[in-house]
Amino acid sequence: MSSILYALQDRARETSSSSLSPKPMIMGAAEGPLKTFKVTLDQLAENLEPTAGRRKLLTAITWPYKEAEINKILKSIEQQKTSITLALELDHSRLSEAIRKEVALLSNQVRGVDEKIYNLCNTEDSMNIQHWLDAPDPHLEYSTALRQRCPATGSWFLKENVYEQWLVDTNLSIWLHGNPGCGKTFLCATVLEHILALPASGVVSMPPTEPSYHELYFFFDGKDDAKQRLRNMIRSLVQQMCTQLGGSANEVRALFSACGGGKRQPECEQLLTVLHQLLSRSEGAYLVIDALDECHERHGLLTAIQEIANWEDVRVHLFFTSRREAEIEDSMAFLRKEVYKVRIDSDTIDPDIRRYVRHRLQKDPALKRWHKDQETQYEIEAALTTKANGMFKWVACQLDQLSSALSIFEVRKLLKELPKDLDGTYTRVLNSIAENRTHYVFKVLKWLACSKMPVTLWRIAEIITIDVDEDPRVNFEKRFRDPKDVLTICPSLIVFKGENLESTSVLELAHSSVREYLVHEPTQTGERRPYSFREPEAHAVIARDCIAYLLDAGGWASLLGARNHDYPLLHYAIWQWIGHAEEAIKDKDVDVSLLVDEFLASGNDILRSWIHLHCSSGFKDTSIINLSMRMLFAELGGLSRSVKSLLDPENGHEALHSSKLTRQGTIPAGRAYTGFGLYSVGEDVEEESSLH
């Protein structure tokens, strides 16, 4: 029995020293073997305890137990020994189970840590891949169309037999075409809204609606350079597939690696291959593309659509819109799918236009004067729907103009003088602008027509502070108290993207036809449209504004330390002025050299900071801005006139020959090296390189 007790003692020590060892629940229970054994031992000890007095001697010489009692005690002890042994084994099993559970818990924790580390690495990789794809988000165009349209617009099309068939038949494609401003984008948004709701619709005749059926879309936009490129469309479709599949797919990771870990950009063919691979993992996809005619790479786009349509191992439902142009229509013959052509004309779209007019007359706050005047509402509705000729945009512009009417007389006068088409409408809008705001309006329109990147409300409002012909060139007193007022100085021609107007909302021209109206080359006789301008002229305005902003705005010690909140146009001016200058000087009649010369010759903190941002690692020391470096940057931008100006001794500049920039050999007298070639001081300099 002593060996068992020693084992129990060791076990007790384990229990006290280990967090894994459970309490000996069986052994130490109230009626357990250990308690019973203790009671037996206590009885034995009591009976064997010497007594006092005369019985003490008798007890000492007499055994207190009879044979039967001894056998009973021994039997009891043996039974308790067996119970204690079993209890020890059971407690040992409990200990083993506790250890197993603890090990399992620790293993789960280790796996959890491993998963977190993997997810962190995976998230970082995904972010790098997303940054590399740099895919434009088409949701802005989609949400803008939903906001601008009237509820139920295009609902008639969803009831057409051809649409219901297209939903279930991948061998059928739909091409929706019509004139500018007829509402193609609104109808496209209606179709997309319906498709996105399919998983929750419960329509029996629909294709499988499990997560493996995908919805892809893209809106080409003639007002946004990034959304006029085929490559960007495919990037966006790949990104949408990755998002719907739950992250950056292995196919995209493989392409990322094949492009040097993102050091090179993928070709369109590579992106199409990845899109094909991703679609092959799904049950199928709806693909909706708006405004094919607004893609700059028309031939490549049509070829890509043909390739997608001809993939035999994937189910793709194709839906696209455009103006009716011969090149687009001819390409439909090469699709292996049947193409159903839907023409949007006044007969089909007039009910939507009538509904749109009623909605605005009853709900638009700008037309609140006529909300309760049903007679005037009927008069406006009849006039606009009769002359709309299927053009949503034309109707929208007329309603914008009518919002300024203060009396029925003014309403009827405007209705009597309704322009015939969009060009006449835009001329009328611009004629109505107050003379003291004309300069602001045309500056804003030129920026929106030719900006290198989307421009926010915050930045457009800042443009109004710049006038290169005044002193100071940047006057912050001209800032509008509320930047949103920019939209009020030119109604109908400028809109914001997205659902809600904020300072970070992107502004754009209201329609591609607005840009076509504004950016227009003169006729052979030199005649121009009213209010039109040429692209190089607009780029020159933007370049001058950017340089003036860099030179004058705030007089900060360093561009790097300036705050975007204080200078909203700063980031754009830093990175984009040279690109606009390059575009401007493609036309020899456009000159931006004066401000460019001033900027490059300044040698101040602003130029130093700008060069620091643009320089490669070979030009880390910007403490001294010498002439050669300034000429190098002028030449990089294709600004050879400014190179010539910098070389001209009459301007007070010396042709410095930096050892870092000089070729081997001797530079002839009277000539200077700018980094790419030798130029003679005073001679004409040919335009050569460009900054890309």
Side-chain angles (χ1 to χ4, degrees):
M1 189 68 186
S2 62
S3 62
I4 295 176
L5 293 176
Y6 282 127
L8 185 59
Q9 184 181 41
D10 293 340
R11 174 62 201 282
R13 289 171 181 164
E14 291 178 5
T15 302
S16 63
S17 62
S18 175
S19 61
L20 292 177
S21 302
K23 300 288 184 182
M25 297 298 295
I26 298 175
M27 187 70 68
E31 301 296 330
L34 194 58
K35 294 291 185 181
T36 304
F37 182 55
K38 185 177 184 301
V39 171
T40 302
L41 288 178
D42 289 343
Q43 290 176 351
L44 283 172
E46 182 181 353
N47 290 334
L48 293 173
E49 183 69 25
T51 56
R54 297 171 59 184
R55 294 187 61 186
K56 181 176 180 180
L57 178 61
L58 181 63
T59 303
I61 63 174
T62 304
W63 182 248
Y65 296 106
K66 296 180 180 180
E67 183 178 357
E69 292 176 325
I70 292 295
N71 289 335
K72 183 180 179 180
I73 291 172
L74 290 175
K75 184 178 179 180
S76 175
I77 291 174
E78 188 63 32
Q79 289 175 346
Q80 292 168 21
K81 174 183 175 182
T82 302
S83 297
I84 291 172
T85 302
L86 290 173
L88 279 172
E89 290 178 355
L90 288 172
D91 281 344
H92 181 72
S93 298
R94 284 174 173 266
L95 174 61
S96 299
E97 179 66 15
I99 293 173
R100 187 190 66 77
K101 289 181 178 179
E102 190 73 18
V103 170
L105 179 62
L106 290 173
S107 297
N108 289 334
Q109 290 176 341
V110 170
R111 280 195 295 270
V113 172
D114 287 343
E115 288 177 2
K116 289 180 180 179
I117 293 174
Y118 174 79
N119 290 335
L120 285 173
C121 295
N122 195 35
T123 301
E124 184 176 357
D125 288 344
S126 297
M127 292 177 63
N128 290 335
I129 291 173
Q130 288 183 20
H131 181 73
W132 171 68
L133 278 177
D134 193 24
D137 182 7
H139 182 72
L140 272 178
E141 283 73 24
Y142 172 56
S143 61
T144 301
L146 291 181
R147 174 177 56 81
Q148 292 179 337
R149 66 164 195 175
C150 169
T153 296
S155 57
W156 59 269
F157 181 70
L158 303 181
K159 301 173 185 177
E160 294 288 320
N161 291 334
V162 65
Y163 178 72
E164 294 180 351
Q165 182 183 353
W166 172 80
L167 287 172
V168 297
D169 186 359
T170 58
N171 291 317
L172 177 65
S173 297
I174 294 180
W175 174 36
L176 203 67
H177 61 84
N179 293 327
C182 71
K184 299 183 292 294
T185 298
F186 290 166
L187 283 171
C188 196
T190 296
V191 168
L192 184 57
E193 182 183 39
H194 181 248
I195 292 170
L196 292 173
L198 282 181
S201 67
V203 180
V204 177
S205 61
M206 295 301 105
T209 56
E210 59 267 19
S212 57
Y213 220 89
H214 303 281
E215 304 84 16
L216 308 176
Y217 61 99
F218 192 79
F219 290 77
F220 282 105
D221 187 353
K223 309 177 295 295
D224 185 343
D225 185 68
K227 292 179 179 176
Q228 300 170 23
R229 308 292 179 184
L230 169 62
R231 187 195 305 266
N232 287 345
M233 181 199 77
I234 308 175
R235 288 176 191 267
S236 179
L237 299 181
V238 169
Q239 182 62 61
Q240 291 175 57
M241 279 298 297
C242 288
T243 300
Q244 294 180 38
L245 290 172
S248 296
N250 291 333
E251 294 85 350
V252 181
R253 295 179 184 277
L255 179 59
F256 181 74
S257 299
C259 291
K263 294 180 180 178
R264 299 187 304 278
Q265 291 299 312
E267 299 296 332
C268 287
E269 293 77 9
Q270 293 174 299
L271 290 167
L272 269 177
T273 299
V274 169
L275 179 62
H276 188 185
Q277 292 170 342
L278 295 174
L279 285 171
S280 66
R281 292 168 50 185
S282 68
E283 285 289 330
Y286 294 104
L287 176 53
V288 178
I289 306 175
D290 181 50
L292 303 183
D293 53 290
E294 295 184 31
C295 176
H296 279 181
E297 301 152 299
R298 183 82 56 82
H299 178 74
L301 171 63
L302 298 175
T303 301
I305 290 176
Q306 292 169 11
E307 183 175 342
I308 293 171
N310 296 337
W311 289 338
E312 296 182 351
D313 57 335
V314 295
R315 294 165 51 90
V316 180
H317 305 252
L318 284 172
F319 181 97
F320 33 84
T321 73
S322 74
R323 302 180 190 183
R324 185 172 186 177
E325 297 183 358
E327 183 181 7
I328 296 175
E329 189 164 13
D330 291 345
S331 71
M332 302 302 167
F334 296 95
L335 270 62
R336 294 174 62 176
K337 301 174 183 287
E338 178 187 356
V339 179
Y340 191 88
K341 303 173 184 178
V342 180
R343 181 172 179 264
I344 304 301
D345 53 24
S346 58
D347 292 336
T348 56
I349 207 68
D350 273 355
D352 279 342
I353 290 178
R354 188 178 298 276
R355 187 182 297 111
Y356 173 77
V357 173
R358 288 177 182 172
H359 177 77
R360 285 199 57 182
L361 287 173
Q362 295 171 6
K363 302 293 184 180
D364 190 344
L367 294 163
K368 63 183 179 181
R369 297 182 187 90
W370 318 112
H371 284 180
K372 297 180 180 180
D373 188 342
Q374 292 190 353
E375 183 178 349
T376 302
Q377 287 185 25
Y378 291 148
E379 191 173 343
I380 294 172
E381 179 183 326
L384 296 186
T385 54
T386 300
K387 298 183 179 181
N389 195 25
M391 291 185 292
F392 256 107
K393 183 58 188 172
W394 182 90
V395 171
C397 290
Q398 310 317 319
L399 288 170
D400 290 342
Q401 289 288 292
L402 286 166
S403 66
S404 64
L406 303 178
S407 65
I408 294 178
F409 174 81
E410 291 183 6
V411 168
R412 289 174 176 166
K413 186 174 186 297
L414 288 171
L415 293 179
K416 185 178 180 180
E417 299 171 351
L418 288 174
K420 295 181 179 180
D421 53 23
L422 286 175
D423 283 356
T425 298
Y426 299 148
T427 300
R428 175 174 169 172
V429 170
L430 292 169
N431 282 337
S432 66
I433 295 172
E435 185 176 353
N436 63 324
R437 292 178 178 171
T438 301
H439 177 70
Y440 296 158
V441 169
F442 282 100
K443 180 187 288 287
V444 168
L445 292 176
K446 288 174 182 178
W447 268 80
L448 292 178
C450 296
S451 62
K452 290 288 186 179
M453 58 187 292
V455 189
T456 62
L457 170 65
W458 197 25
R459 288 174 175 167
I460 286 294
E462 189 75 354
I463 291 166
I464 294 172
T465 67
I466 307 170
D467 190 331
V468 297
D469 296 322
E470 291 184 357
D471 186 18
R473 288 173 289 205
V474 180
N475 185 351
F476 292 138
E477 290 183 357
K478 294 181 180 180
R479 280 177 174 167
F480 287 176
R481 181 69 64 181
D482 186 352
K484 296 177 183 178
D485 288 337
V486 170
L487 292 169
T488 67
I489 66 173
C490 194
S492 302
L493 302 185
I494 302 174
V495 296
F496 67 91
K497 283 188 176 183
E499 300 175 6
N500 301 306
L501 180 59
E502 301 172 351
S503 62
T504 55
S505 297
V506 172
L507 295 193
E508 64 177 8
L509 297 177
H511 194 263
S512 58
S513 59
V514 177
R515 190 181 192 281
E516 292 170 1
Y517 171 84
L518 293 171
V519 183
H520 188 262
E521 292 291 331
T523 63
Q524 292 182 349
T525 59
E527 295 181 0
R528 289 194 178 199
R529 283 180 179 173
Y531 306 110
S532 68
F533 51 81
R534 296 163 53 244
E535 276 198 50
E537 296 169 350
H539 284 295
V541 168
I542 300 173
R544 294 190 195 104
D545 284 349
C546 287
I547 296 171
Y549 197 76
L550 293 175
L551 287 171
D552 288 13
W556 58 84
S558 170
L559 294 181
L560 300 176
R563 295 178 297 175
N564 282 334
H565 179 75
D566 296 328
Y567 306 101
L569 201 58
L570 178 61
H571 182 272
Y572 189 98
I574 289 173
W575 294 105
Q576 303 298 335
W577 79 262
I578 198 168
H580 286 293
E582 183 182 8
E583 291 292 333
I585 65 172
K586 289 180 179 179
D587 188 322
K588 294 183 178 179
D589 294 331
V590 177
D591 188 10
V592 295
S593 60
L594 290 178
L595 275 176
V596 173
D597 292 347
E598 181 180 348
F599 180 72
L600 293 176
S602 63
N604 59 8
D605 290 337
I606 296 174
L607 177 62
R608 182 181 298 110
S609 298
W610 180 77
I611 290 181
H612 177 79
L613 290 168
H614 283 273
C615 274
S616 64
S617 58
F619 294 94
K620 292 184 178 179
D621 182 9
T622 59
S623 59
I624 300 177
I625 306 299
N626 59 47
L627 177 62
S628 296
M629 188 176 292
R630 293 198 291 275
M631 288 190 297
L632 171 61
F633 274 89
E635 186 181 5
L636 280 171
L639 307 176
S640 56
R641 298 180 192 178
S642 294
V643 174
K644 178 181 176 181
S645 175
L646 287 168
L647 291 172
D648 192 344
E650 293 183 3
N651 291 332
H653 304 308
E654 296 180 1
L656 302 180
H657 308 295
S658 171
S659 59
K660 292 183 179 179
L661 300 174
T662 306
R663 293 174 179 166
Q664 292 182 349
T666 303
I667 297 177
R671 295 174 71 82
Y673 177 60
T674 66
F676 288 97
L678 292 171
Y679 296 102
S680 296
V681 177
E683 74 177 10
D684 289 336
V685 183
E686 295 182 359
E687 299 175 5
E688 295 185 3
S689 59
S690 300
L691 179 63
H692 298 289

